[in-house]
Amino acid sequence: MGRRARTRRAATTAALLAAALTVSLAAGCTGTNRPGPVDDGRGPGETHDGGQSADDGQDPAESGLAGESVLAVKIDNVRAARPHTGTDSADIIYAEQVEGGLSRLMAVYATKLPKVIGPVRSARESDLELLRQFDNPTLTFSGAQGKLMPLINKAPLNPQTPGKTSGAYFRGTEKPAPHNLYLRPARLMPAAPGADALTTGFTYGTAPSGGKKDTSETVRYPAATYSFTWSSSRDRYLVSMDGTPAITTGGKRIAPATVVVQYVKIRKSDFYDFLGNNTPYTETVGSGKAKVLRGGKAYNVDWEREKATDGTTFTTSGGDPVNFAKGQVWVLFVKA
């Protein structure tokens, strides 16, 4: 499916990238790591279907929707937005730097859909390049800076915002706005599309040879910290954010099987938030170095993504593919 998807998308690549490069942008949106931050005014403030609990206790819907693409959800990740809901069901979690040195997540779902996902926040320009590897992905987000929306609407994806999809979103009762907007994915997709929709270039299987014992790894952004501690009993990495264990609203510890620290170029974009902070642009097309964590070991590898419609390959110094462990994958984009 990945090859077919890339072929269908290739015809529009040049025009879309040209449009993105020629638009002049001036403002943006952000969050803060202080309790109860002020809303940036660009996310929807209305409640859809009434305030409700965001508990994700219901079992996720399994795969079975052949031919469809992934669901990508922008996740708020300031302190006031935690704990998250439904992120333990994601196949991939991407972490990127945003305004003020904070971070935001993108959760990608293909093999199962939880009952509820969130809190949902706004999109960024970098998301468009990252999502080009998928065939017409559904992107759910709470809004975006006004001059970014035309680029989102022209991109080869299916944007779904609260204003566009009545009933798919609701405001929870346990967090203050704007950190209480949640998504019911079943209102957008009848079932998960399945693993074939994950056209990421990732390979899964036996661990590569070599590696160095590494049972604890910390990734730092200017104003956010992630820690990954290997649990041999669970055969997973236990995630902590800003020094606090990452647990979902359903009480589950977030525990990926593989963690990738991908060193990339992070540059200034043409966007600024309402406080005047520049929105960083994370370049995910190109090549560079990465560190892959699996099985309590760290592997220093190379990454490459030749063009936006490609997935990303991870290889050893000898050019052999670096397999990931079966289970959730975290990819953290860090400034090279």
mmCIF file of all heavy atoms in Angstrom, residues 77 94-98 100-105 218-226 242 260-262 264 266 282 331-335:
data_model
loop_
_atom_site.group_PDB
_atom_site.id
_atom_site.type_symbol
_atom_site.label_atom_id
_atom_site.label_comp_id
_atom_site.label_asym_id
_atom_site.label_seq_id
_atom_site.Cartn_x
_atom_site.Cartn_y
_atom_site.Cartn_z
ATOM 1 N N ASN A 77 0.491 19.146 25.232
ATOM 2 C CA ASN A 77 1.437 18.496 26.132
ATOM 3 C C ASN A 77 2.032 19.431 27.180
ATOM 4 O O ASN A 77 3.091 19.163 27.725
ATOM 5 C CB ASN A 77 2.578 17.838 25.337
ATOM 6 C CG ASN A 77 3.354 16.845 26.174
ATOM 7 O OD1 ASN A 77 2.775 16.125 26.987
ATOM 8 N ND2 ASN A 77 4.669 16.815 26.026
ATOM 9 N N TYR A 94 4.852 11.092 17.854
ATOM 10 C CA TYR A 94 5.904 12.023 17.472
ATOM 11 C C TYR A 94 5.924 13.177 18.470
ATOM 12 O O TYR A 94 4.870 13.699 18.850
ATOM 13 C CB TYR A 94 5.647 12.598 16.076
ATOM 14 C CG TYR A 94 5.785 11.608 14.944
ATOM 15 C CD1 TYR A 94 4.662 11.074 14.317
ATOM 16 C CD2 TYR A 94 7.044 11.234 14.475
ATOM 17 C CE1 TYR A 94 4.781 10.182 13.255
ATOM 18 C CE2 TYR A 94 7.175 10.345 13.408
ATOM 19 C CZ TYR A 94 6.040 9.822 12.808
ATOM 20 O OH TYR A 94 6.174 8.933 11.756
ATOM 21 N N ALA A 95 7.116 13.589 18.880
ATOM 22 C CA ALA A 95 7.279 14.752 19.751
ATOM 23 C C ALA A 95 8.092 15.801 19.018
ATOM 24 O O ALA A 95 9.154 15.489 18.448
ATOM 25 C CB ALA A 95 7.962 14.366 21.057
ATOM 26 N N GLU A 96 7.614 17.039 19.032
ATOM 27 C CA GLU A 96 8.306 18.118 18.342
ATOM 28 C C GLU A 96 8.347 19.351 19.227
ATOM 29 O O GLU A 96 7.501 19.540 20.102
ATOM 30 C CB GLU A 96 7.609 18.462 17.026
ATOM 31 C CG GLU A 96 6.195 18.977 17.207
ATOM 32 C CD GLU A 96 5.506 19.345 15.904
ATOM 33 O OE1 GLU A 96 6.189 19.410 14.869
ATOM 34 O OE2 GLU A 96 4.288 19.581 15.932
ATOM 35 N N GLN A 97 9.325 20.193 18.979
ATOM 36 C CA GLN A 97 9.452 21.446 19.711
ATOM 37 C C GLN A 97 8.499 22.484 19.125
ATOM 38 O O GLN A 97 8.331 22.581 17.913
ATOM 39 C CB GLN A 97 10.885 21.960 19.637
ATOM 40 C CG GLN A 97 11.135 23.244 20.416
ATOM 41 C CD GLN A 97 12.579 23.702 20.324
ATOM 42 O OE1 GLN A 97 13.492 22.882 20.210
ATOM 43 N NE2 GLN A 97 12.791 24.998 20.352
ATOM 44 N N VAL A 98 7.856 23.249 20.024
ATOM 45 C CA VAL A 98 7.003 24.345 19.583
ATOM 46 C C VAL A 98 7.467 25.633 20.251
ATOM 47 O O VAL A 98 8.588 25.722 20.751
ATOM 48 C CB VAL A 98 5.511 24.051 19.860
ATOM 49 C CG1 VAL A 98 5.024 22.895 19.009
ATOM 50 C CG2 VAL A 98 5.272 23.765 21.341
ATOM 51 N N GLY A 100 8.327 28.795 22.574
ATOM 52 C CA GLY A 100 8.763 28.908 23.952
ATOM 53 C C GLY A 100 9.566 27.729 24.449
ATOM 54 O O GLY A 100 9.762 27.578 25.660
ATOM 55 N N GLY A 101 10.047 26.864 23.535
ATOM 56 C CA GLY A 101 10.824 25.701 23.942
ATOM 57 C C GLY A 101 10.002 24.560 24.475
ATOM 58 O O GLY A 101 10.550 23.557 24.946
ATOM 59 N N LEU A 102 8.665 24.673 24.405
ATOM 60 C CA LEU A 102 7.776 23.596 24.850
ATOM 61 C C LEU A 102 7.689 22.522 23.773
ATOM 62 O O LEU A 102 8.329 22.618 22.730
ATOM 63 C CB LEU A 102 6.388 24.167 25.176
ATOM 64 C CG LEU A 102 6.357 25.154 26.337
ATOM 65 C CD1 LEU A 102 5.021 25.884 26.374
ATOM 66 C CD2 LEU A 102 6.600 24.445 27.658
ATOM 67 N N SER A 103 6.897 21.494 24.027
ATOM 68 C CA SER A 103 6.756 20.420 23.058
ATOM 69 C C SER A 103 5.286 20.104 22.844
ATOM 70 O O SER A 103 4.434 20.416 23.681
ATOM 71 C CB SER A 103 7.481 19.152 23.538
ATOM 72 O OG SER A 103 6.834 18.594 24.668
ATOM 73 N N ARG A 104 5.011 19.501 21.712
ATOM 74 C CA ARG A 104 3.666 19.021 21.399
ATOM 75 C C ARG A 104 3.795 17.653 20.766
ATOM 76 O O ARG A 104 4.807 17.324 20.153
ATOM 77 C CB ARG A 104 2.951 20.000 20.473
ATOM 78 C CG ARG A 104 1.468 19.652 20.250
ATOM 79 C CD ARG A 104 0.670 20.876 19.852
ATOM 80 N NE ARG A 104 0.595 21.839 20.959
ATOM 81 C CZ ARG A 104 -0.063 22.998 20.906
ATOM 82 N NH1 ARG A 104 -0.677 23.331 19.789
ATOM 83 N NH2 ARG A 104 -0.086 23.806 21.940
ATOM 84 N N LEU A 105 2.752 16.846 20.909
ATOM 85 C CA LEU A 105 2.758 15.487 20.402
ATOM 86 C C LEU A 105 1.829 15.347 19.207
ATOM 87 O O LEU A 105 0.835 16.068 19.087
ATOM 88 C CB LEU A 105 2.308 14.500 21.484
ATOM 89 C CG LEU A 105 3.065 14.540 22.815
ATOM 90 C CD1 LEU A 105 2.453 13.527 23.782
ATOM 91 C CD2 LEU A 105 4.547 14.275 22.619
ATOM 92 N N THR A 218 17.349 10.456 28.717
ATOM 93 C CA THR A 218 16.595 11.695 28.889
ATOM 94 C C THR A 218 16.777 12.574 27.660
ATOM 95 O O THR A 218 17.889 12.744 27.164
ATOM 96 C CB THR A 218 17.049 12.463 30.141
ATOM 97 O OG1 THR A 218 16.778 11.658 31.299
ATOM 98 C CG2 THR A 218 16.294 13.778 30.280
ATOM 99 N N VAL A 219 15.666 13.117 27.172
ATOM 100 C CA VAL A 219 15.671 14.013 26.023
ATOM 101 C C VAL A 219 15.158 15.368 26.503
ATOM 102 O O VAL A 219 14.076 15.456 27.096
ATOM 103 C CB VAL A 219 14.770 13.477 24.895
ATOM 104 C CG1 VAL A 219 14.695 14.483 23.746
ATOM 105 C CG2 VAL A 219 15.286 12.133 24.398
ATOM 106 N N ARG A 220 15.924 16.409 26.233
ATOM 107 C CA ARG A 220 15.575 17.733 26.734
ATOM 108 C C ARG A 220 15.313 18.716 25.600
ATOM 109 O O ARG A 220 16.111 18.839 24.677
ATOM 110 C CB ARG A 220 16.700 18.284 27.626
ATOM 111 C CG ARG A 220 16.850 17.543 28.941
ATOM 112 C CD ARG A 220 17.948 18.162 29.813
ATOM 113 N NE ARG A 220 17.988 17.564 31.142
ATOM 114 C CZ ARG A 220 18.657 16.451 31.436
ATOM 115 N NH1 ARG A 220 19.352 15.846 30.477
ATOM 116 N NH2 ARG A 220 18.632 15.952 32.660
ATOM 117 N N TYR A 221 14.181 19.391 25.699
ATOM 118 C CA TYR A 221 13.902 20.566 24.898
ATOM 119 C C TYR A 221 14.142 21.781 25.795
ATOM 120 O O TYR A 221 14.309 21.633 27.006
ATOM 121 C CB TYR A 221 12.453 20.534 24.395
ATOM 122 C CG TYR A 221 12.172 19.418 23.416
ATOM 123 C CD1 TYR A 221 11.633 18.199 23.850
ATOM 124 C CD2 TYR A 221 12.440 19.568 22.065
ATOM 125 C CE1 TYR A 221 11.371 17.177 22.955
ATOM 126 C CE2 TYR A 221 12.188 18.550 21.161
ATOM 127 C CZ TYR A 221 11.654 17.349 21.615
ATOM 128 O OH TYR A 221 11.408 16.344 20.732
ATOM 129 N N PRO A 222 14.169 22.983 25.241
ATOM 130 C CA PRO A 222 14.441 24.144 26.090
ATOM 131 C C PRO A 222 13.523 24.264 27.301
ATOM 132 O O PRO A 222 13.959 24.707 28.366
ATOM 133 C CB PRO A 222 14.252 25.323 25.122
ATOM 134 C CG PRO A 222 14.647 24.771 23.795
ATOM 135 C CD PRO A 222 14.135 23.358 23.803
ATOM 136 N N ALA A 223 12.250 23.857 27.173
ATOM 137 C CA ALA A 223 11.312 23.988 28.295
ATOM 138 C C ALA A 223 10.500 22.718 28.509
ATOM 139 O O ALA A 223 9.370 22.767 29.014
ATOM 140 C CB ALA A 223 10.390 25.185 28.077
ATOM 141 N N ALA A 224 11.034 21.573 28.130
ATOM 142 C CA ALA A 224 10.331 20.295 28.316
ATOM 143 C C ALA A 224 11.350 19.170 28.398
ATOM 144 O O ALA A 224 12.404 19.231 27.756
ATOM 145 C CB ALA A 224 9.351 20.038 27.170
ATOM 146 N N THR A 225 11.029 18.142 29.188
ATOM 147 C CA THR A 225 11.937 17.008 29.368
ATOM 148 C C THR A 225 11.164 15.702 29.262
ATOM 149 O O THR A 225 10.064 15.569 29.807
ATOM 150 C CB THR A 225 12.629 17.075 30.749
ATOM 151 O OG1 THR A 225 13.338 18.307 30.857
ATOM 152 C CG2 THR A 225 13.599 15.922 30.925
ATOM 153 N N TYR A 226 11.765 14.744 28.557
ATOM 154 C CA TYR A 226 11.221 13.385 28.463
ATOM 155 C C TYR A 226 12.270 12.413 29.001
ATOM 156 O O TYR A 226 13.445 12.527 28.667
ATOM 157 C CB TYR A 226 10.917 13.002 27.013
ATOM 158 C CG TYR A 226 9.824 13.805 26.356
ATOM 159 C CD1 TYR A 226 10.104 15.044 25.774
ATOM 160 C CD2 TYR A 226 8.521 13.329 26.293
ATOM 161 C CE1 TYR A 226 9.116 15.785 25.158
ATOM 162 C CE2 TYR A 226 7.525 14.058 25.668
ATOM 163 C CZ TYR A 226 7.828 15.282 25.107
ATOM 164 O OH TYR A 226 6.848 16.013 24.490
ATOM 165 N N ASP A 242 8.693 15.823 32.155
ATOM 166 C CA ASP A 242 9.008 16.865 33.131
ATOM 167 C C ASP A 242 9.124 16.302 34.541
ATOM 168 O O ASP A 242 8.683 16.919 35.510
ATOM 169 C CB ASP A 242 7.962 17.980 33.080
ATOM 170 C CG ASP A 242 7.887 18.635 31.711
ATOM 171 O OD1 ASP A 242 8.953 18.822 31.091
ATOM 172 O OD2 ASP A 242 6.771 18.958 31.253
ATOM 173 N N VAL A 260 12.942 6.436 19.468
ATOM 174 C CA VAL A 260 13.891 6.973 18.496
ATOM 175 C C VAL A 260 14.145 8.437 18.812
ATOM 176 O O VAL A 260 13.205 9.241 18.870
ATOM 177 C CB VAL A 260 13.356 6.852 17.055
ATOM 178 C CG1 VAL A 260 14.371 7.432 16.062
ATOM 179 C CG2 VAL A 260 13.028 5.407 16.725
ATOM 180 N N VAL A 261 15.387 8.779 19.038
ATOM 181 C CA VAL A 261 15.794 10.174 19.192
ATOM 182 C C VAL A 261 16.420 10.578 17.862
ATOM 183 O O VAL A 261 17.528 10.162 17.533
ATOM 184 C CB VAL A 261 16.794 10.352 20.353
ATOM 185 C CG1 VAL A 261 17.129 11.832 20.534
ATOM 186 C CG2 VAL A 261 16.227 9.771 21.643
ATOM 187 N N GLN A 262 15.675 11.350 17.078
ATOM 188 C CA GLN A 262 16.090 11.675 15.714
ATOM 189 C C GLN A 262 16.605 13.112 15.666
ATOM 190 O O GLN A 262 15.871 14.059 15.963
ATOM 191 C CB GLN A 262 14.915 11.498 14.748
ATOM 192 C CG GLN A 262 15.279 11.669 13.288
ATOM 193 C CD GLN A 262 14.119 11.332 12.369
ATOM 194 O OE1 GLN A 262 13.186 10.622 12.755
ATOM 195 N NE2 GLN A 262 14.152 11.832 11.150
ATOM 196 N N VAL A 264 17.566 16.386 13.934
ATOM 197 C CA VAL A 264 17.094 17.032 12.716
ATOM 198 C C VAL A 264 17.423 18.518 12.751
ATOM 199 O O VAL A 264 17.844 19.062 13.779
ATOM 200 C CB VAL A 264 15.565 16.865 12.567
ATOM 201 C CG1 VAL A 264 15.181 15.391 12.471
ATOM 202 C CG2 VAL A 264 14.838 17.539 13.740
ATOM 203 N N ILE A 266 16.156 22.135 13.053
ATOM 204 C CA ILE A 266 15.018 22.903 13.542
ATOM 205 C C ILE A 266 15.332 24.372 13.292
ATOM 206 O O ILE A 266 16.286 24.916 13.847
ATOM 207 C CB ILE A 266 14.755 22.642 15.037
ATOM 208 C CG1 ILE A 266 14.465 21.143 15.270
ATOM 209 C CG2 ILE A 266 13.595 23.492 15.538
ATOM 210 C CD1 ILE A 266 14.270 20.787 16.731
ATOM 211 N N THR A 282 10.348 22.023 12.128
ATOM 212 C CA THR A 282 11.142 20.801 12.236
ATOM 213 C C THR A 282 11.231 20.134 10.872
ATOM 214 O O THR A 282 10.208 19.725 10.312
ATOM 215 C CB THR A 282 10.512 19.837 13.249
ATOM 216 O OG1 THR A 282 10.469 20.458 14.533
ATOM 217 C CG2 THR A 282 11.313 18.545 13.342
ATOM 218 N N VAL A 331 8.984 8.762 18.493
ATOM 219 C CA VAL A 331 10.012 9.457 17.730
ATOM 220 C C VAL A 331 10.082 10.876 18.256
ATOM 221 O O VAL A 331 9.105 11.627 18.173
ATOM 222 C CB VAL A 331 9.717 9.455 16.224
ATOM 223 C CG1 VAL A 331 10.815 10.206 15.472
ATOM 224 C CG2 VAL A 331 9.566 8.038 15.692
ATOM 225 N N LEU A 332 11.234 11.244 18.795
ATOM 226 C CA LEU A 332 11.426 12.581 19.316
ATOM 227 C C LEU A 332 12.384 13.339 18.398
ATOM 228 O O LEU A 332 13.531 12.912 18.195
ATOM 229 C CB LEU A 332 11.981 12.540 20.748
ATOM 230 C CG LEU A 332 11.081 11.870 21.776
ATOM 231 C CD1 LEU A 332 11.492 10.403 21.954
ATOM 232 C CD2 LEU A 332 11.105 12.603 23.098
ATOM 233 N N PHE A 333 11.903 14.435 17.814
ATOM 234 C CA PHE A 333 12.726 15.253 16.923
ATOM 235 C C PHE A 333 13.507 16.248 17.765
ATOM 236 O O PHE A 333 12.934 17.105 18.447
ATOM 237 C CB PHE A 333 11.851 15.979 15.905
ATOM 238 C CG PHE A 333 11.104 15.059 14.991
ATOM 239 C CD1 PHE A 333 9.716 15.058 14.934
ATOM 240 C CD2 PHE A 333 11.781 14.172 14.162
ATOM 241 C CE1 PHE A 333 9.027 14.212 14.096
ATOM 242 C CE2 PHE A 333 11.114 13.311 13.304
ATOM 243 C CZ PHE A 333 9.719 13.336 13.272
ATOM 244 N N VAL A 334 14.828 16.130 17.706
ATOM 245 C CA VAL A 334 15.730 16.931 18.532
ATOM 246 C C VAL A 334 16.693 17.695 17.623
ATOM 247 O O VAL A 334 17.135 17.153 16.592
ATOM 248 C CB VAL A 334 16.505 16.033 19.518
ATOM 249 C CG1 VAL A 334 17.455 16.868 20.366
ATOM 250 C CG2 VAL A 334 15.535 15.256 20.401
ATOM 251 N N LYS A 335 17.013 18.909 17.996
ATOM 252 C CA LYS A 335 17.895 19.730 17.177
ATOM 253 C C LYS A 335 19.273 19.101 17.052
ATOM 254 O O LYS A 335 19.891 18.731 18.059
ATOM 255 C CB LYS A 335 18.022 21.124 17.777
ATOM 256 C CG LYS A 335 18.773 22.117 16.891
ATOM 257 C CD LYS A 335 18.730 23.514 17.472
ATOM 258 C CE LYS A 335 19.425 24.513 16.575
ATOM 259 N NZ LYS A 335 19.346 25.894 17.115
#
